[in-house]
Amino acid sequence: MGCSSFDNVITNPMSATAQTAPERDPKTRIQPLSAFSDNYIWLISNRETAVVVDPGDAVPVLGALDRLGVRLTAILLTHHHPDHVGGVQQLVDATGARVYGPANEVLPLCDVAMSDGARFSDTGLGIDLTVIDVPGHTAGHIAYAGTVGGSAVVFCGDTLFAAGCGRVFEGTPAQMTASLARLAALPGDALVFCAHEYTLSNMRWAREVEPANQELQGWQAEAIRQRELGDPTVPSRISRELACNPFMRTAIPSVVQSASQWAQRDLDSPVEVFAALREWKNSFR
Ligand code: ZN
Ligand code: FE
């Protein structure tokens, strides 16, 4: 459990407890760059080059590139929201990096339009990612799933969060349910690189949905400690989401029962359960 259980491809420059694991000094690292109040921009780098995911702000990225002495070669985008694309133009101007983004969204800049099944690979960084269409939060939202440095990963933007999911702004509950099902089908050990630190508030709500979920209780205690230390609670893992995230558990009887009780009616399908959960979470304070 805890940060140290994650594969050593993950490093956390913000962490007081980060372990450098010198004997396994990974060639490729993935690190979170904090932006705005609660965004994470993910930077994948080795000693020469870097790729960045969802740079809502160029400043922290340029700072990290400078600090690491690496060259930015590519920018991967999951969806069009400003807190994910706001830094793209400035980064391209400064570095000439190539921009990969969702084919079905209007972006400030995009060189390569990516839709379901498209690949992004970088042999130098050990990146091999395939695009999954995950509409719902936005109409054309995509995720990048595959491996980085040998570890299973998914960069899912605002679709899946630790113990939560994105709001359904442009799509439908049915689309979001299908999108989350596609993420649920990824390998259990896949690290979930989501774009916001929403974990503790998601967990407070998830505990209301499933008060008896022991794994969720344990994870919540761990996440509280991480936040007290100023550490990120992410990446999460698909297996943990399956065990703890109500939005990934719309077929689990205890979740169905809780959602039905909240909605005060019978819910007859995972989509109805999802829609009730989403409404519940939207109104939860
Ligand atoms: Zn968003
Ligand atoms: Fe966002």
Side-chain angles (χ1 to χ4, degrees):
M1 304 285 269
C3 264
S4 53
S5 72
F6 290 129
D7 193 281
N8 74 339
V9 74
I10 310 309
T11 58
N12 172 18
M14 295 181 288
S15 171
T17 57
Q19 303 198 342
T20 49
E23 76 283 358
R24 290 179 61 200
D25 184 23
K27 220 165 109 349
T28 297
R29 331 187 285 161
I30 306 175
Q31 58 189 298
L33 307 177
S34 286
F36 312 114
S37 58
D38 51 36
N39 278 75
Y40 290 128
I41 298 168
W42 293 103
L43 187 77
I44 309 169
S45 67
N46 60 17
R47 292 188 184 83
E48 287 104 45
T49 61
V51 168
V52 73
V53 184
D54 282 353
D57 186 1
V59 174
V61 181
L62 292 170
L65 296 173
D66 195 45
R67 203 167 58 242
L68 297 166
V70 297
R71 186 169 49 86
L72 188 70
T73 58
I75 297 170
L76 307 184
L77 304 175
T78 63
H79 68 296
H80 69 84
H81 284 159
D83 63 313
H84 298 252
V85 305
V88 171
Q89 184 70 60
Q90 198 184 337
L91 285 175
V92 169
D93 290 346
T95 68
R98 232 166 132 69
V99 182
Y100 298 76
N104 298 316
E105 301 215 331
V106 179
L107 302 166
L109 227 151
C110 187
D111 298 307
V112 187
M114 307 288 274
S115 50
D116 205 80
R119 301 259 308 264
F120 173 84
S121 65
D122 181 310
T123 46
L125 285 165
I127 301 176
D128 185 5
L129 298 171
T130 301
V131 167
I132 309 175
D133 282 341
V134 286
H137 177 68
T138 61
H141 200 304
I142 60 174
Y144 298 85
T147 56
V148 173
S151 297
V153 300
V154 59
F155 295 93
C156 54
D158 288 353
T159 297
L160 176 63
F161 295 126
C165 76
R167 286 181 188 241
V168 182
F169 285 129
E170 296 175 8
T172 63
Q175 281 181 323
M176 195 65 162
T177 302
S179 294
L180 292 174
R182 291 198 69 185
L183 297 177
L186 294 172
D189 67 345
L191 294 163
V192 178
F193 292 92
C194 57
H196 289 273
E197 180 62 63
Y198 290 158
T199 311
L200 292 187
S201 71
N202 287 341
M203 285 174 167
R204 274 195 301 278
W205 168 76
R207 289 290 306 275
E208 298 275 315
V209 180
E210 283 194 284
N213 186 327
Q214 298 283 329
E215 199 164 338
L216 173 60
Q217 283 176 38
W219 187 15
Q220 185 185 36
E222 184 187 329
I224 288 170
R225 279 196 306 277
Q226 288 172 316
R227 294 312 288 153
E228 282 169 356
L229 293 167
D231 288 350
T233 60
V234 291
S236 164
R237 278 193 197 275
I238 290 293
S239 56
R240 254 189 170 173
E241 299 308 326
L242 294 174
C244 301
N245 185 334
F247 294 112
M248 299 286 260
R249 296 168 60 76
T250 52
I252 304 291
S254 57
V255 175
V256 176
Q257 201 197 333
S258 250
S260 303
Q261 237 163 46
W262 183 84
Q264 299 189 315
R265 62 189 177 89
D266 286 339
L267 303 171
D268 297 323
S269 70
V271 174
E272 284 187 29
V273 174
F274 172 85
L277 289 172
R278 193 56 262 178
E279 263 186 72
W280 183 359
K281 177 65 171 68
N282 289 351
S283 65
F284 185 79
R285 290 292 173 268

